[in-house]
Amino acid sequence: MKYQAPRGVKDLLPPDSETFRRLEDEIREVFGRSGFREVRLPVFESADLFSRSIGESTDIVEKEMYLFSGKGGESLALRPEGTASLIRAAIEHHLAEPGRVERLYYQGPMFRHERPQAGRLRQFHQAGAELLGSSDPDDDVDLIATVSRHAQAMNVPASRLLINSMGCPNCRPAYREILVNYLVKNRDLLCETCQRRTETNPLRVLDCKVPSCQPVLEAAPHLVEFLCPASRNHFEQVCRGLEGESLSFTVTHRLVRGLDYYTETAFEWVSDALGAQSTWAAGGRYNGLVRHLGGADVPGVGLAIGLERLLLLRELAGTLPQATRPAVHLAIHPLEETARPYAHRILAALRNQGISAVGIFGQARIKKAFLQAEREGALFIGLLGGDELSAGTITLKHLGSGIQKTLPAFPPEELAEALRAPWTP
Ligand code: ATP
Ligand code: MG
């Protein structure tokens, strides 16, 4: 029986795992420099949390969640995204309180049962930032700028920022009615899902990708034309703020979030360099979500970056962080059985000095030991025979230059210093 990773799930092996780690570290720094602090969230939650926050008639909840039952019969789900967990945690731990601003980020694997293809996996990674407690449009601008500036610095190819306004509970119902009337009138030209969602989640219909639906949806009425004065003002301030930052954007009428608690600004970064899976990050304001999940009336705005898609783009741009193999400084090879405990003592002492060291124990022939040391990327090989053992020394060979020296193994500070010094003929 041969085991394979499940479909749509990828193993990350060295050096790709090291590159990915660097990418994650960079995003940590980007969020950190904008004042966000990390939260570590559970990988599974009550399934109900997701259906309530993402919404029943969405792709995620309708067909993409990995559901399972706990021993007590409770319905659980692997997290398909991070916002719901973060808001749940913020409410639970009293971080989402009126008058208090919290900047939090998360990073980690997400799970969605989708058809795997380039840039679309069943286990993928997101890094997301959420700002709770402010409804100021300049916070939308600042959050967008954080990601856009990073994309610019990393030369993310063909990246475009799309934005739209979702309005608010004052103005959206009227638009929804206008949209529903329009969709009902054109019902026969829409796909089955769109016909169904016209009843359950009409805004989400605008997001449909089925080719035959496109002409009708392109001609649909625009939400921004029906905004109330407050929402219009918010949207204009965001647009003006972005212009002031010289960040270009395109107002995209079909960019929507289907649910009531998603309010005001919605935004997305796309790159045509990604092909069909063109969106590499997405976000928006959700002034009603905290309350919807049982918390206080606390506004929020957030975004999530798809790390696999960002990785592809950075690869295309040639700005992928270089994964440098962690150097193995020294490979120690005992030449005799009796030198083995001595080898362990030196390994431990040098590692405590911050020197990376490996033991080469399984090679009977010295030639093989040298080959293994080279394959492991060692700078030095250290040989321990009977002489070294009785004298308390180690015979070091610098693999680059061939220079050989026998030095005292203890105190380890001195040996470490010698290993760090340049070895040139
Ligand atoms: P899509 O329209 O591509 O399915 P989405 O609207 O479902 O995206 P969001 O829920 O907004 O995506 O997630 C934010 C980001 O996470 C996306 O822009 C994308 O970069 C990434 N993402 C989402 N689903 C996947 C996936 N299955 N595999 C890899 N990345 C993903
Ligand atoms: Mg999706």
Side-chain angles (χ1 to χ4, degrees):
M1 169 86 186
K2 259 199 183 149
Y3 291 107
Q4 284 188 332
R7 205 162 110 76
V9 166
K10 260 179 44 178
D11 297 310
L12 266 177
L13 306 175
D16 296 344
S17 53
E18 287 147 4
T19 303
F20 203 80
R21 174 56 164 265
R22 299 277 306 269
L23 189 80
E24 289 174 325
D25 288 347
E26 280 186 15
I27 297 297
R28 281 200 168 85
E29 265 176 46
V30 167
F31 287 160
R33 280 197 299 266
S34 289
F36 290 84
R37 297 174 68 197
E38 184 172 26
V39 282
R40 300 275 182 129
L41 300 162
V43 166
F44 64 91
E45 297 264 5
S46 159
D48 178 56
L49 173 69
F50 299 114
S51 18
R52 192 159 171 76
S53 64
I54 300 166
E56 294 286 355
S57 58
T58 54
D59 286 348
I60 293 180
V61 174
E62 275 178 355
K63 53 187 188 205
E64 295 174 0
M65 281 215 286
Y66 283 94
L67 296 165
F68 62 102
S69 311
K71 295 282 185 212
E74 68 276 31
S75 175
L76 301 167
L78 293 183
R79 62 180 184 194
E81 53 111 62
T83 304
S85 300
L86 186 135
I87 302 295
R88 193 265 312 136
I91 296 169
E92 189 172 332
H93 304 288
H94 312 290
L95 302 176
E97 304 287 331
R100 169 175 179 160
V101 171
E102 282 287 339
R103 298 172 210 268
L104 300 168
Y105 78 81
Y106 59 85
Q107 207 171 72
M110 305 294 160
F111 308 85
R112 298 184 192 179
H113 188 89
E114 317 197 51
R115 200 165 62 80
Q117 47 202 295
R120 191 177 293 287
L121 294 157
R122 290 183 174 172
Q123 176 174 339
F124 62 101
H125 295 77
Q126 280 185 346
E130 316 281 353
L131 192 159
L132 303 179
S134 164
S135 55
D136 196 291
D138 271 308
D139 281 312
D140 306 24
V141 173
D142 191 42
L143 190 60
I144 292 170
T146 293
V147 170
S148 281
R149 293 277 178 243
H150 178 63
Q152 283 173 348
M154 294 304 142
N155 286 326
V156 167
S159 184
R160 287 180 294 125
L161 169 65
L162 313 179
I163 77 168
N164 196 16
S165 173
M166 294 294 95
C168 71
N170 286 328
C171 49
R172 197 166 21 186
Y175 169 74
R176 186 194 307 257
E177 215 175 300
I178 290 161
L179 179 66
V180 169
N181 287 339
Y182 173 84
L183 295 174
V184 168
K185 223 168 48 201
N186 293 285
R187 189 182 165 82
D188 296 345
L189 301 169
L190 295 171
C191 72
E192 244 176 66
T193 309
C194 284
Q195 293 188 5
R196 182 164 44 83
R197 286 188 180 164
T198 297
E199 325 282 312
T200 55
N201 192 348
L203 263 78
R204 203 72 210 195
V205 174
L206 294 172
D207 195 37
C208 176
K209 305 282 182 324
V210 174
S212 57
C213 294
Q214 301 311 304
V216 174
L217 300 180
E218 275 303 315
H222 296 167
L223 208 166
V224 287
E225 280 153 32
F226 299 88
L227 296 177
C228 63
S231 287
R232 165 150 304 284
N233 189 40
H234 187 100
F235 191 53
E236 278 171 4
Q237 285 201 55
V238 170
C239 294
R240 248 182 277 135
L242 293 173
E243 281 157 7
E245 285 279 299
S246 305
L247 291 170
S248 47
F249 60 89
T250 310
V251 176
T252 305
H253 301 291
R254 288 176 53 191
L255 172 59
V256 286
R257 305 277 177 268
L259 299 152
D260 287 346
Y261 36 85
Y262 290 105
T263 54
E264 314 298 353
T265 334
F267 42 90
E268 225 168 82
W269 287 266
V270 298
S271 169
D272 296 330
L274 282 174
Q277 272 56 253
S278 60
T279 304
W280 62 270
R285 188 161 268 294
Y286 45 79
N287 289 350
L289 182 57
V290 176
R291 201 177 30 185
H292 183 74
L293 291 179
D297 191 6
V298 170
V301 60
L303 58 83
I305 301 172
L307 290 184
E308 280 80 4
R309 295 187 195 175
L310 180 60
L311 184 105
L312 286 170
L313 288 167
R314 298 273 305 268
E315 207 169 0
L316 290 171
T319 57
L320 207 56
Q322 282 302 305
T324 41
R325 177 178 186 161
V328 169
H329 218 107
L330 173 65
I332 296 183
H333 179 56
L335 296 166
E336 301 176 18
E337 281 303 305
T338 50
R340 284 174 177 254
Y342 184 47
H344 284 296
R345 269 176 56 214
I346 299 174
L347 282 172
L350 283 177
R351 288 169 183 161
N352 275 342
Q353 294 298 315
I355 298 271
S356 61
V358 298
I360 298 187
F361 294 114
Q363 301 293 0
R365 292 176 49 214
I366 191 161
K367 216 170 155 184
K368 287 271 180 68
F370 269 87
L371 280 177
Q372 186 183 327
E374 269 168 37
R375 222 184 38 241
E376 296 208 42
L379 302 177
F380 292 88
I381 192 161
L383 302 173
L384 304 175
D387 290 349
E388 284 83 3
L389 183 57
S390 49
T393 57
I394 179 167
T395 295
L396 295 170
K397 182 161 184 171
H398 183 237
L399 293 171
S401 63
I403 297 174
Q404 192 167 313
K405 288 183 198 170
T406 299
L407 299 175
F410 292 92
E413 290 83 354
E414 282 172 27
L415 181 58
E417 206 180 307
L419 285 165
R420 287 195 175 103
W423 282 42
T424 42

